[in-house]
Amino acid sequence: MLTLRADCERCFGLCCVAPAFSASADFAVGKPAGQPCRHLGVDFGCTIHDHLRQRGFPGCTVFDCFGAGQQVAQVTFGGRDWRSSPELARPMFEVFGVMRQLHELLWYLHEALTLTLTPAEPLRADIEAMITEIERLAGQDADTLGALDTAAHRDRANTLLLRASELARAGMAGPDHRGADLIGRKLGQTDLRGASLRGAYLIGADLSNADLSMADVIGADFRGANLSKADLSTAIFLTQAQLDAARGDTATGLPATLRRPTHWVSQPIQENRSKRSDIWSTE
């Protein structure tokens, strides 16, 4: 099975070179695709890694390649790097984008397998078959990967992921906020058990004390969201990157497979709330 967790020491700083990013709240400066970040060191490490947020690069802290970097560097290109072999730069950067999508799909599919212990059991064989297929694709050569139609595989995988989520949440009658604009909304103490928050915009939202048990949060944007004292211990498809983009505290309930971000406060955030908030309240 492929490793779906980044091992930066076995990569060649691909996430610091291949993608483009624009100057914004997430990045102090912008750069075009294929150009090394000014902070990329000669050893392919980030020279400001321990101070990214303080230096204006919080966007870097929430990026997750799901292990695609070392797969491309060590397997697809056999340990050859783009600096000593400049002719490999363009194909390596292109393949990195493809591989990251494949590894992300694999991560979600493996998460879906944990749901097959619930009423989603009938999907287990289909999920396992797709995992096998994507792992096979991830082992192909650079030319094959470069020509891969990742959108088609993503559509097929998403159908399985959605069905697994629906079966796992069946009977919970959670609210449907798929793709909803909940930016800055006051959702503190809201009952979101079994909710669909797939692709929802929760930037800067207040979710303190909210119950997100078995809520589907795949693709939800939690940047700057307040998750203090919220219960995400059984949230479906929650990623480390989503947590890293949010704010929380020691009282935030998390799945055992994810770590509490180091920038979160070390003590529970104290807030005064007299009643449960309406999910659509903007006051």
Side-chain angles (χ1 to χ4, degrees):
M1 187 179 75
L2 296 176
T3 299
L4 303 178
R5 179 168 295 183
D7 183 351
C8 298
E9 292 186 358
R10 301 184 63 231
C11 184
F12 300 131
L14 297 181
C15 66
C16 303
V17 188
F21 52 77
S22 301
S24 62
D26 293 321
F27 301 100
V29 296
K31 80 168 193 65
Q35 177 178 305
C37 171
R38 64 174 67 177
H39 299 297
L40 183 65
V42 294
D43 61 350
F44 298 110
C46 175
T47 59
I48 62 168
H49 182 269
D50 295 335
H51 309 284
L52 284 166
R53 289 183 179 276
Q54 299 91 318
R55 297 287 292 273
F57 291 88
C60 296
T61 69
V62 301
F63 179 82
D64 189 349
C65 77
F66 296 95
Q70 67 261 24
Q71 176 72 10
V72 171
Q74 302 301 328
V75 179
T76 311
F77 288 90
R80 295 173 295 167
D81 70 82
W82 52 271
R83 274 182 173 152
S84 56
S85 301
E87 71 280 6
L88 298 181
R90 182 182 293 274
M92 185 176 289
F93 300 156
E94 290 177 352
V95 168
F96 174 67
V98 174
M99 190 69 74
R100 193 220 176 244
Q101 294 185 61
L102 294 179
H103 274 231
E104 182 180 30
L105 287 180
L106 284 171
W107 189 90
Y108 282 122
L109 288 166
H110 278 286
E111 286 296 296
L113 278 183
T114 67
L115 300 179
T116 60
L117 299 175
T118 70
E121 174 64 31
L123 296 178
R124 172 173 282 275
D126 290 337
I127 294 172
E128 289 179 336
M130 187 150 200
I131 287 174
T132 298
E133 179 182 354
I134 295 180
E135 286 184 337
R136 179 187 64 80
L137 292 172
Q140 300 299 303
D141 59 37
D143 290 339
T144 302
L145 286 164
L148 194 63
D149 182 4
T150 54
H153 294 286
R154 182 174 290 276
D155 288 343
R156 289 177 53 212
N158 191 55
T159 298
L160 282 175
L161 297 175
L162 178 58
R163 185 57 181 152
S165 171
E166 290 173 341
L167 289 173
R169 294 180 295 114
M172 298 192 71
D176 184 359
H177 300 303
R178 183 175 183 177
D181 181 355
L182 300 173
I183 296 174
R185 295 296 177 91
K186 295 183 181 299
L187 311 176
Q189 302 186 54
T190 302
D191 184 354
L192 292 170
R193 289 175 295 176
S196 175
L197 293 168
R198 296 171 65 90
Y201 296 95
L202 290 155
I203 302 169
D206 179 5
L207 288 160
S208 59
N209 291 281
D211 189 347
L212 288 95
S213 301
M214 295 299 291
D216 184 342
V217 298
I218 191 169
D221 192 339
F222 283 103
R223 282 179 293 170
N226 180 5
L227 301 179
S228 61
K229 304 185 188 71
D231 184 4
L232 294 99
S233 57
T234 59
I236 300 174
F237 301 131
L238 179 67
T239 68
Q240 187 64 52
Q242 287 173 307
L243 293 178
D244 290 342
R247 298 182 296 121
D249 59 20
T250 56
T252 304
L254 302 180
T257 55
L258 300 179
R259 68 179 184 277
R260 199 171 303 276
T262 57
H263 69 280
W264 283 14
V265 297
S266 58
Q267 298 295 327
I269 298 173
Q270 299 300 319
E271 298 190 47
N272 294 320
R273 295 190 181 278
S274 59
K275 62 180 180 179
R276 184 176 298 276
S277 299
D278 183 338
I279 194 167
W280 296 113
S281 172
T282 58
E283 298 178 356

